Amino acid sequence: MFGGVGAGTIAKPIAVVIDADGTRYVSDTKRNQIFVYDSTDRFLATFGVEEQFKPVGLAISGDKLYVVDILHHEVQVLDKKTGRLLFKFSQSGSDPGSLFNPTNIAIGPDGDVYISETGNFRIQRFSADGKPKRTYGAVGTGLGAFARPKGVAVDKQGRILVVDSAFTNVQVFSNDGALMLFFGGQSAADTFHMPTGIAIDYESVPFFQSYAHPKFQMEYLVFVVSQYGPNKVDVFAVGRMSDMEYPPDKIPSETPPISPASPPTKPAS
C-alpha cells in the first residue's frame, strides 16, 4: 500500500492510473490535485493549482495525462511529466461536445477518448484533441439506457463496456452503438453492489484460463469494482468457444458520425 507522507499524503483518492514505466497517478478530490509516485511508490510531485480542477477519472495516452474535471464539467490534458496544462475541452451542458458531471474515462484503440457522464446518462466519444464524435446511450430503464453510468472501458476491437452503478450491471456496446450483451443486475446478489470501476486486462489471462471451460478460449479479463457487498472485485472473461463460429470483429471507424440526440430528460427525484 502507498499513501505518501508530508506533501505526498493522499487525502481522498478517487482514481489511479499506472504508466508503462510504473509511474502512478492518483486523483484526490479533497486536495483537488493529482499525486505522482514512481514505480517504487516514492512520492514525486503533485499536479494542479488552487481552483484548477476537481479531478476524478484519469487516463494516459502517449505523453499526455487526461484528467476528468467534475467541477468544471471538462477534460484537462496535461503533460504527464511536468503537469503543464496542454489544452482542455468541453463545458457544462447536454449538447454533443458538452459534459455534465463527467466521472470516468477510457482511451480507445484508435486514441479516441470515451467519457461517462453521470449527469447526462450517456457515454460521449471525443477525438484525442477533444472534438466530439458521437454519444452512446440515454436516460431510461430499458436495455441500452443508463441510470448512473460510471466506469467505462474499451477493448482492442472497440467494444465499449459500461458499468451502471444504479442498475448494478455492465452493458457492452459495439463501437457503432448497438447493445451486444449485459451482465450483472440487481438480482445477482453474489456479484455487484454499487459497482463503479471497470478495467480490461489482456496480460493476466494465463492465470485465469484454468477456471474456464476447456473449450473456452479467453480473449481478455474484465475486472469490476464494487463499493459495497462481499465481493469488492469480480473477474469475468471475454472469449470464444472453440467449437462455435463467430462473425468477424468490426474495427471501429476512424470518423463515426455524431449521434443525433436531444438533451436527455432527468428523472424526478
Side-chain angles (χ1 to χ4, degrees):
M1 302 196 316
F2 66 96
V5 294
T9 303
I10 302 171
K12 191 176 181 180
I14 294 296
V16 57
V17 63
I18 303 175
D19 205 354
D21 64 358
T23 303
R24 296 94 151 87
Y25 299 85
V26 182
S27 58
D28 189 311
T29 57
K30 184 174 182 179
R31 295 186 58 176
N32 292 333
Q33 290 180 308
I34 297 164
F35 290 76
V36 186
Y37 304 84
D38 68 12
S39 60
T40 66
D41 304 329
R42 180 173 62 94
F43 171 65
L44 299 177
T46 55
F47 297 162
V49 297
E50 188 174 357
E51 298 184 358
Q52 178 178 345
F53 46 44
K54 190 178 184 72
V56 282
L58 302 172
I60 294 172
S61 181
D63 59 356
K64 299 178 179 65
L65 175 67
Y66 287 77
V67 181
V68 178
D69 178 8
I70 196 171
L71 177 63
H72 301 103
H73 310 281
E74 65 185 14
V75 176
Q76 297 195 24
V77 184
L78 313 181
D79 183 298
K80 71 178 184 181
K81 295 295 186 183
T82 66
R84 179 174 62 89
L85 177 64
L86 301 175
F87 62 93
K88 53 187 177 181
F89 58 88
S90 189
Q91 63 284 316
S92 177
S94 57
D95 294 331
S98 299
L99 297 170
F100 190 67
N101 285 347
T103 55
N104 295 68
I105 182 172
I107 306 295
D110 53 2
D112 281 355
V113 181
Y114 297 74
I115 307 289
S116 62
E117 301 179 66
T118 304
N120 277 334
F121 312 98
R122 67 189 181 189
I123 303 299
Q124 189 160 185
R125 179 181 179 184
F126 296 85
S127 64
D129 58 357
K131 294 181 175 61
K133 301 185 80 168
R134 69 170 299 153
T135 61
Y136 303 85
V139 63
T141 58
L143 297 177
F146 297 121
R148 195 180 300 153
K150 289 292 186 73
V152 57
V154 185
D155 70 11
K156 291 179 180 179
Q157 281 69 44
R159 296 181 288 245
I160 305 158
L161 290 76
V162 185
V163 171
D164 194 300
S165 186
F167 293 152
T168 64
N169 70 1
V170 174
Q171 298 189 78
V172 184
F173 297 84
S174 65
N175 206 257
D176 59 8
L179 179 66
M180 302 178 72
L181 68 92
F182 67 92
F183 55 93
Q186 295 179 349
S187 63
D190 294 332
T191 54
F192 307 145
H193 293 263
M194 198 173 286
T196 57
I198 187 169
I200 290 173
D201 180 0
Y202 286 85
E203 296 180 359
S204 301
V205 165
F207 299 105
F208 289 84
Q209 185 65 57
S210 63
Y211 292 96
H213 188 281
K215 293 184 177 181
F216 184 74
Q217 299 301 312
M218 294 184 184
E219 181 183 347
Y220 60 80
L221 303 170
V222 179
F223 291 80
V224 181
V225 179
S226 294
Q227 296 183 80
Y228 302 100
N231 301 343
K232 297 302 186 291
V233 179
D234 288 284
V235 186
F236 300 84
V238 174
R240 301 166 183 262
M241 296 296 288
S242 59
D243 55 357
M244 293 183 63
E245 294 186 4
Y246 296 86
D249 287 320
K250 183 178 180 181
I251 302 302
S253 169
E254 291 295 328
T255 56
I258 295 178
S259 299
S262 57
T265 301
K266 297 182 174 64
S269 300

